[in-house]
Amino acid sequence: MKCDIVLAGVGGQGILSIATVIGLAAVNNNLYIKQAETHGMSQRGGAVQSYLRLSDKPIFSDLIPSGEAQLILSVEPMEALRYLNYLSKDGYVVTNITPFVNIPDYPETDELLTRIDNLPRVVAINAENIAKNAGNVKSSNMVMLGAASPFIDLPLQGLEQAIRDIFARKGDEIVAVNLSAFRTGRAFTEQKLNS
Amino acid sequence: MHKKLLLGVEAIGQGAIDGGISGVYAYPGTPSTEITEYIQESETAIKRNLHRQWSANEKTAMEAALGMSYAGKRTLVCMKHVGLNVAADVFMNIAITGVNGGMVVAVADDPSMHSSQNEQDSRYYGKFAMVPVLEPTDQQEAYDMTIAGLEFSEKAGVPVMIRITTRLAHSRSGVKTIPTARLENPISLPSDPMQFVLLPANARKRYNSLLAQQPNFLKYSEESSWNRFEDGPDRSVGIVCCGIAFNYFRENYPGTSPYPYVKISQYPLPEKLLKQLDAQVDEILVLEEGYPLVEEQLKGFFGRGKRVSGRLDGTLPRAGELNPDLVASALKIEKLVAQPLPELLVNRPPALCKGCGHHDTYRALNEVMKEYGKGKVFSDIGCYTLGALPPYNSIYSCVDMGASVTMAKGAADAGLFPSIAVIGDSTFTHSGITGLLDAVNEKSNMVLIIGDNESISMTGGQDSSALGRIEAICKGVGVDPDHIQVLESLPKNHELLVEILRKEINYNGVSVIIPRRECIQKLARRKRN
């Protein structure tokens, strides 16, 4: 088993919370893991990414070779496109569709979303809306993880347990909100795949 | 064995704790910051009350670490690559004094300059100082090497450098750790009371003893389990892979390598292993993260004899970090062409945070400087360096820590008017104070703006070393108190700041203006916790 994932977003959007959940679930499943993060200047509103590699065999490179990622999981639509060179031929893009506009030359939203819809294998999701309905707009990253979870080779229970473990110190209510966000995100993708 | 999920830098921190240090000394700098932060939060470190406060700069950090080592205790000092320039004076000399308690110097290089002003390769400093250098391939080695480095340092009486680069520094993986940390050393003075006295006559002796140690360092390197030769059936080329370049090599041959290779994670270069490789292959390919240090040594000046390829002959790019694709191409491995990136994609550079006080400073500065024209504001290293980019385009220099103050002074000496420096509170205390003293001594006609956000913000909000004492320092250095102006950097104070700037520009002498407001990120973190 080998699963390479590019996590993408803008500095400050908290993509590392997603990486932490996947990482913990992978470790609990006795998988090897390497997870390269972006620290430093880019965290001030710049483009940030995390290369997450899971395998049942030792992993060498901390970076994913181009064309080998099974999944691009992006919490921002334009950032989803920045790493397409890493995506494998049959890889999926799972992206939030709410633009984070902090630059003057951000592309037209309609054009951007059309470009995303035209990707061969894509799940585009309004994570903020779903998170709001699930109880807390701050849980949008767990909506995204849920939506991407059908493409991550980890048992569903493992991911849910990792969410419980990671949010445990913030109390039962926060755990419940994040689990609900995760499940709603997953249901969205399952419905899309079945339709 | 416990297994922890650690960043490469955190593995160094854990290794230092488990290797029995009594203290870490550092100034924050990407990608090295989290070594110290990890130790600051470690239960063992807190229980043992290991020294773990930030130092004013890398030089003071390394000197304090040397003092701890002098007292017989083990210590770790960490910095980013350019931080070693600041500490270079003490670093070069402690190779000669040697150490008493074990001392590891952990330096994190930033090839591709993700968060730096250059991509210098610290292995050159290790070679320059003639001390052993360890270059981990993965997080486990980073951990193991820190423990072994402390051990060897203490035994051989020499500082040991650990050099990592951004990718390993900020990548997480499982690390097996020992269950309990080694006990700290008791206090014990150096056996030779003259060891640390580098008066010329004594320095010559010490230098000779460093030279005499070189064969031991070579032996240590040749016998190291981190350096090894592996055979392969295809002798057309032999591969030399250093540090994390080894990972990119093996990524392309996850099973066994068709080529013989030498993995290098410890310097000086293991001669025996390299000669073994050389004897078997037609040519040599060097894969190394950073400058072509090994390639240059293997190639020889005239390039006669066996072909050695790498970064110097264009087989790999001369600049920037390596990755699996670049190494695949150097190995002539055909790869599918990755899909192109859409044209509508635009760059998203970092920017000042919404609500940051530096916005207010640059808005006012730009308004005043409209009257004087471009090119008269020097700046420095920190979040406020982003003022060089749109929408502000306010500043015209960012060179090294503290250089804004002294460049503004030099430009004022040259007759530039006005001559203005913009620096942050922490960069000022790191390396700006002595420059200000120069300016005061000569009554240079300049304005120094110290944007005080009460934090070292770019690296994650560490405590600034002169919190609440910036004015006192300026007064102490000799700035006329009438020309030290403090105000809160808020949009409502725009007119006030504009007025102060105009007034101080027209004062013939050194003025200091301190717009102050807590870093917005630090404030948010404080409110969350």
Side-chain angles (χ1 to χ4, degrees):
Chain A
M1 173 271 180
K2 176 170 161 292
C3 183
D4 289 342
I5 306 167
V6 179
L7 295 175
V10 180
Q13 284 191 304
I15 60 165
L16 293 182
S17 66
I18 302 176
T20 310
V21 173
I22 302 174
L24 182 62
V27 169
N28 290 341
N29 273 281
N30 291 316
L31 292 171
Y32 291 96
I33 169 175
K34 278 199 173 175
Q35 181 215 322
E37 304 172 356
T38 314
H39 293 204
M41 265 186 107
S42 302
Q43 286 177 301
R44 299 281 162 271
V48 294
Q49 76 298 117
S50 171
Y51 302 92
L52 187 50
R53 314 192 75 189
L54 317 175
S55 175
D56 53 7
K57 295 188 193 64
I59 301 161
F60 290 106
S61 171
D62 299 272
L63 295 174
I64 298 170
S66 63
E68 290 193 19
Q70 280 94 316
L71 172 67
I72 291 172
L73 168 47
S74 180
V75 299
E76 204 280 341
M78 183 174 74
E79 295 308 316
L81 302 177
R82 197 178 300 282
Y83 308 95
L84 282 179
N85 55 326
Y86 287 95
L87 196 63
S88 69
K89 279 204 314 278
D90 48 4
Y92 259 89
V93 174
V94 177
T95 183
N96 186 9
I97 55 164
T98 311
F100 187 102
V101 183
N102 63 345
I103 44 172
D105 52 348
Y106 194 92
E108 288 296 323
T109 308
D110 289 348
E111 201 186 333
L112 175 66
L113 296 183
T114 308
R115 185 68 185 75
I116 285 171
D117 282 336
N118 289 341
L119 291 169
R121 279 162 298 277
V122 64
V123 177
I125 179 167
N126 189 328
E128 280 76 11
N129 274 356
I130 292 183
K132 219 179 286 168
N133 294 337
N136 189 338
V137 71
K138 284 185 185 160
S139 63
S140 66
N141 281 355
M142 289 305 113
V143 172
M144 292 310 304
L145 176 59
S149 63
F151 310 110
I152 303 172
D153 297 335
L154 284 170
L156 180 59
Q157 290 77 6
L159 285 169
E160 293 200 350
Q161 189 55 47
I163 293 174
R164 280 189 203 99
D165 292 347
I166 281 163
F167 291 100
R169 66 182 184 91
K170 293 189 174 170
D172 292 344
E173 200 184 326
I174 299 289
V175 170
V177 163
N178 281 287
L179 276 177
S180 154
F182 174 84
R183 287 171 187 159
T184 320
R186 185 173 174 101
F188 180 91
T189 299
E190 280 173 341
Q191 197 184 1
K192 184 180 156 83
L193 293 178
N194 292 333
S195 63
Chain B
M1 283 283 184
H2 301 239
K3 206 165 180 182
K4 294 188 163 87
L5 195 54
L6 298 177
L7 294 173
V9 272
E10 293 175 338
I12 292 176
Q14 184 66 50
I17 295 166
D18 290 348
I21 59 161
S22 295
V24 61
Y25 291 88
Y27 181 81
T30 313
S32 71
T33 312
E34 302 86 349
I35 305 175
T36 306
E37 288 185 327
Y38 181 84
I39 297 173
Q40 287 172 338
E41 284 157 25
S42 144
E43 269 178 45
T44 311
I46 294 167
K47 208 159 62 194
R48 290 186 173 187
N49 198 20
L50 305 184
H51 177 274
R52 54 191 189 281
Q53 284 76 26
W54 295 107
S55 303
N57 64 40
E58 293 84 357
K59 177 177 183 284
T60 66
M62 198 181 287
E63 289 158 349
L66 182 63
M68 182 168 269
S69 163
Y70 176 94
K73 305 249 183 186
R74 291 187 171 187
T75 181
L76 171 72
V77 54
C78 354
M79 64 210 67
K80 68 184 295 176
H81 56 335
V82 286
L84 185 52
N85 297 334
V86 178
D89 195 1
V90 51
F91 180 69
M92 291 305 294
N93 287 311
I94 58 179
I96 295 177
T97 61
V99 301
N100 186 23
M103 177 166 170
V104 164
V105 179
V107 190
D109 291 356
D110 190 18
S112 280
M113 305 177 225
H114 298 280
S115 296
S116 306
Q117 69 271 43
N118 75 31
E119 58 171 30
Q120 66 186 57
D121 185 331
S122 298
R123 295 177 302 166
Y124 280 90
Y125 265 118
K127 191 168 154 47
F128 191 18
M130 292 183 275
V131 299
V133 176
L134 303 170
E135 189 186 14
T137 302
D138 57 24
Q139 294 77 357
Q140 185 68 53
E141 283 189 357
Y143 173 78
D144 296 339
M145 283 175 172
T146 309
I147 299 179
L150 286 165
E151 200 70 43
F152 184 82
S153 162
E154 193 160 291
K155 205 174 75 188
V158 69
V160 169
M161 178 193 281
I162 294 186
R163 182 250 186 177
I164 59 166
T165 53
T166 305
R167 284 303 158 188
L168 178 55
H170 290 159
S171 173
R172 227 174 266 282
S173 193
V175 175
K176 287 182 194 145
T177 60
I178 56 176
T180 37
R182 179 189 178 277
L183 291 177
E184 292 174 59
N185 285 348
I187 286 198
S188 70
L189 291 178
S191 53
D192 172 8
M194 290 302 279
Q195 180 186 341
F196 290 86
V197 187
L198 292 184
L199 276 168
N202 202 42
R204 283 179 211 117
K205 270 188 230 156
R206 290 299 314 173
Y207 182 52
N208 281 327
S209 111
L210 175 66
L211 294 176
Q213 284 250 58
Q214 296 303 309
N216 296 340
F217 300 165
L218 180 62
K219 186 161 169 277
Y220 176 44
S221 198
E222 285 178 336
E223 290 171 0
S224 163
S225 59
W226 296 306
N227 289 339
R228 64 170 192 269
F229 169 82
E230 294 276 348
D231 211 347
D234 184 345
R235 305 289 171 85
S236 61
V237 59
I239 319 290
V240 176
C241 8
C242 309
I244 64 165
F246 172 75
N247 299 344
Y248 302 141
F249 171 60
R250 291 300 307 276
E251 181 72 26
N252 285 291
Y253 302 112
T256 52
S257 160
Y259 307 113
Y261 68 85
V262 174
K263 168 187 181 284
I264 293 177
S265 295
Q266 184 173 338
Y267 307 78
L269 283 177
E271 273 179 37
K272 270 188 205 159
L273 303 182
L274 289 166
K275 282 178 177 159
Q276 196 179 349
L277 182 77
D278 180 59
Q280 299 195 356
V281 298
D282 300 337
E283 55 182 79
I284 288 173
L285 169 65
V286 184
L287 308 173
E288 55 192 321
E289 185 79 307
Y291 287 7
L293 171 113
V294 174
E295 191 183 345
E296 269 181 349
Q297 286 182 76
L298 299 185
K299 206 178 183 103
F301 186 81
F302 292 105
R304 288 180 191 136
K306 198 164 286 183
R307 179 166 177 234
V308 176
S309 57
R311 287 188 185 267
L312 290 171
D313 70 344
T315 303
L316 286 161
R318 179 64 182 78
E321 66 175 336
L322 297 177
N323 62 43
D325 299 324
L326 291 171
V327 170
S329 139
L331 292 163
K332 302 191 177 67
I333 295 172
E334 296 266 341
K335 291 206 58 165
L336 292 171
V337 181
Q339 51 178 310
L341 296 180
E343 274 173 18
L344 59 75
L345 187 63
V346 290
N347 281 339
R348 196 192 297 263
L352 290 174
C353 304
K354 209 175 152 194
C356 164
H358 295 318
H359 286 292
D360 305 305
T361 304
Y362 283 132
R363 256 195 301 269
L365 184 61
N366 279 2
E367 183 170 328
V368 174
M369 292 311 287
K370 264 195 310 224
E371 298 150 28
Y372 296 101
K374 295 177 189 297
K376 297 176 177 176
V377 182
F378 303 90
S379 191
D380 231 293
I381 294 172
C383 289
Y384 48 90
T385 317
L386 296 169
L389 306 177
Y392 295 112
N393 304 110
S394 301
I395 60 168
Y396 298 88
S397 79
C398 159
V399 183
D400 67 279
M401 295 286 279
S404 61
V405 183
T406 20
M407 281 182 75
K409 180 202 179 290
D413 293 345
L416 187 74
F417 177 80
S419 189
I420 294 176
V422 178
I423 194 170
D425 49 321
S426 185
T427 306
F428 175 65
T429 49
H430 178 291
S431 288
I433 301 171
T434 45
L436 181 60
L437 180 60
D438 280 347
V440 167
N441 287 345
E442 293 190 42
K443 297 188 173 54
S444 304
N445 190 10
M446 61 174 281
V447 176
L448 171 61
I449 300 172
I450 306 177
D452 184 1
N453 59 10
E454 304 181 325
S455 143
I456 311 176
S457 296
M458 186 58 99
T459 49
Q462 294 79 17
D463 289 337
S464 184
S465 65
L467 186 63
R469 285 175 289 147
I470 299 289
E471 302 94 298
I473 289 173
C474 295
K475 275 181 207 153
V477 165
V479 180
D480 179 348
D482 290 342
H483 294 281
I484 300 175
Q485 311 273 5
V486 186
L487 78 164
E488 207 177 354
S489 45
L490 282 171
K492 67 169 189 193
N493 286 340
H494 177 78
E495 292 308 326
L496 178 62
L497 182 52
V498 167
E499 190 191 309
I500 292 174
L501 277 164
R502 286 213 173 100
K503 195 176 123 228
E504 295 304 337
I505 283 172
N506 287 308
Y507 165 66
N508 191 348
V510 179
S511 308
V512 176
I513 302 173
I514 308 173
R516 172 175 294 145
R517 180 154 58 86
E518 185 182 21
C519 162
I520 199 93
Q521 297 282 350
K522 192 161 190 171
L523 176 72
R525 263 192 304 275
R526 202 154 51 77
K527 286 197 166 158
R528 268 200 305 271
N529 297 329

